[in-house]
Amino acid sequence: MSAPTLSDIDDAMEMQSIPVGYRDTPQDEEDDDEDTFSDDDEIDELGMIAASSPQPNQKNPALKRHSYLTYIFVGLAAIVVLVEVLRGKDGSLSLNARTKATSDDLSTSSGTTGDNLIIEFTVANLRTNSANCSHVGKMLQCIPQHNNATNKFRIELHKSWAPIGVKRFQELTEANFWDDARIFRVVPNFVSQFGISSYPDVQKYYDSLGNLKDDKGIGSNKRGTLTFATSGRNTRTTQLFINTADNKFLDKQGFSPIGEVLLAGDGYGSMDVVDEMYSKYGEDPDQGMIKEEGKDYLEEKYPLLSYFVTAVFV
């Protein structure tokens, strides 16, 4: 599988000119056995008051009913307070009260919620002069001479552009798939392609999952966009490329961007980092051999290839 070839550009340029509860108020009922008095009876007012007041050892039904209502209201108030405590700032229940998210939720901790996801890549073996390179084992690791010598850049994924592709990329990132992955095809002013694991067993597993269905795609292959490579309809797997030029002619060929490289920020670069990925090997690395032998093949035959050290959500 590959991204578009250089001949695709020439063909495209010839064919088209597209630029590159309720309130309880019971009424007292009259006593059926209401006492009556004759005019001759003498009424002791103090005695009547005493008789109508509850005695120490007597239970007043009205007070008992009042107590039950009080308990109910206090209980309801406690429940309301508990719910408010559990609610987060956005009005949804906090993480402690949520059920565990499934993979379909596309939501994990640290930078993986919301419509867009941001991933920071750390790159080794960037193209620069030998003064900024040092050997680490068999590998020659270099950092660029710009942006305070950073070798990091960030990509923002857009679910609204291509939800199926974004979900696969998120899954690969969460599984540390990009660690040690080489940028094995770098064609200046066209694309920088990656997405084959340096560990054959890992690649075999993801190949066994089958191909992804195509996204409808609403983005355009402008410089800095991230797009899945494909060999036809519904053939996307794990390979992607970053457009290092405006390749809008690819839009009508089924290449749907899933994200874009962000502008430089504090401690990380932008397309200036991508542009320094090692390109001297061109398209020579054999994709079949990378899948079969992984790092052994890469370190022996193409030791200067740029590769990802880490890729983490931020």
Side-chain angles (χ1 to χ4, degrees), residues 7-299:
S7 61
D8 292 334
I9 298 180
D10 297 332
D11 294 341
M13 297 303 295
E14 292 177 1
M15 298 175 63
Q16 54 188 337
S17 58
I18 299 178
V20 182
Y22 72 96
R23 180 179 180 184
D24 188 7
T25 56
Q27 300 298 319
D28 292 334
E29 297 180 359
E30 295 183 358
D31 190 348
D32 292 336
D33 297 328
E34 181 180 0
D35 293 332
T36 58
F37 298 89
S38 64
D39 294 337
D40 297 333
D41 292 332
E42 293 182 0
I43 303 175
D44 185 345
E45 293 184 359
L46 293 176
M48 290 182 64
I49 295 174
S52 63
S53 302
Q55 300 304 311
N57 295 327
Q58 293 178 338
K59 294 183 178 180
N60 191 321
L63 288 178
K64 186 176 181 180
R65 182 173 62 252
H66 216 47
S67 298
Y68 287 157
L69 292 175
T70 300
Y71 294 149
I72 292 174
F73 289 142
V74 170
L76 290 174
I79 292 174
V80 171
V81 171
L82 179 60
V83 170
E84 290 300 323
V85 169
L86 290 175
R87 286 188 179 276
K89 293 181 179 180
D90 60 351
S92 60
L93 290 180
S94 66
L95 287 175
N96 290 334
R98 291 177 183 164
T99 55
K100 186 177 181 181
T102 65
S103 60
D104 290 335
D105 293 331
L106 278 180
S107 60
T108 60
S109 61
S110 181
T112 65
T113 59
D115 180 64
N116 301 342
L117 309 172
I118 297 177
I119 301 168
E120 181 175 274
F121 290 84
T122 301
V123 192
N125 285 6
L126 289 169
R127 174 177 52 85
T128 185
N129 64 16
S130 59
N132 289 334
C133 299
S134 61
H135 283 277
V136 178
K138 297 181 180 179
M139 303 303 298
L140 185 65
Q141 296 190 351
C142 309
I143 57 176
Q145 307 176 69
H146 57 77
N147 198 39
N148 297 322
T150 183
N151 59 337
K152 299 179 180 181
F153 69 97
R154 293 183 177 185
I155 286 179
E156 183 174 22
L157 304 179
H158 296 281
K159 297 178 185 178
S160 61
W161 289 7
I164 299 174
V166 167
K167 180 178 179 181
R168 171 56 62 87
F169 199 93
Q170 180 184 2
E171 292 170 346
L172 293 170
T173 304
E174 291 171 342
N176 300 318
F177 179 88
W178 310 118
D179 293 5
D180 289 330
R182 269 55 178 179
I183 299 89
F184 59 81
R185 182 182 179 227
V186 179
V187 182
N189 299 313
F190 185 34
V191 298
S192 293
Q193 186 172 341
F194 58 94
I196 301 178
S197 176
S198 293
Y199 304 96
D201 289 343
V202 174
Q203 188 62 47
K204 288 178 181 178
Y205 168 74
Y206 282 99
D207 286 344
S208 71
L209 298 181
N211 298 338
L212 297 180
K213 292 183 178 180
D214 290 338
D215 282 297
K216 292 182 179 180
I218 61 174
S220 180
N221 285 272
K222 299 181 295 183
R223 171 174 163 82
T225 52
L226 174 69
T227 304
F228 267 95
T230 177
S231 58
R233 294 185 60 185
N234 301 318
T235 58
R236 297 181 301 173
T237 56
T238 61
Q239 294 190 42
L240 301 98
F241 58 88
I242 298 174
N243 286 290
T244 54
D246 285 338
N247 297 321
K248 297 180 181 179
F249 68 91
L250 298 177
D251 297 350
K252 296 182 179 180
Q253 300 182 27
F255 295 96
S256 301
I258 68 169
E260 59 189 335
V261 176
L262 294 177
L263 297 176
D266 185 14
Y268 61 92
S270 183
M271 285 299 293
D272 50 352
V273 178
V274 176
D275 287 339
E276 294 210 24
M277 292 176 176
Y278 192 81
S279 62
K280 298 300 182 181
Y281 297 131
E283 302 185 61
D284 291 345
D286 187 290
Q287 296 184 30
M289 291 298 294
I290 299 175
K291 289 185 177 183
E292 184 176 341
E293 298 185 8
K295 285 181 66 175
D296 292 340
Y297 167 76
L298 291 164
E299 291 181 352

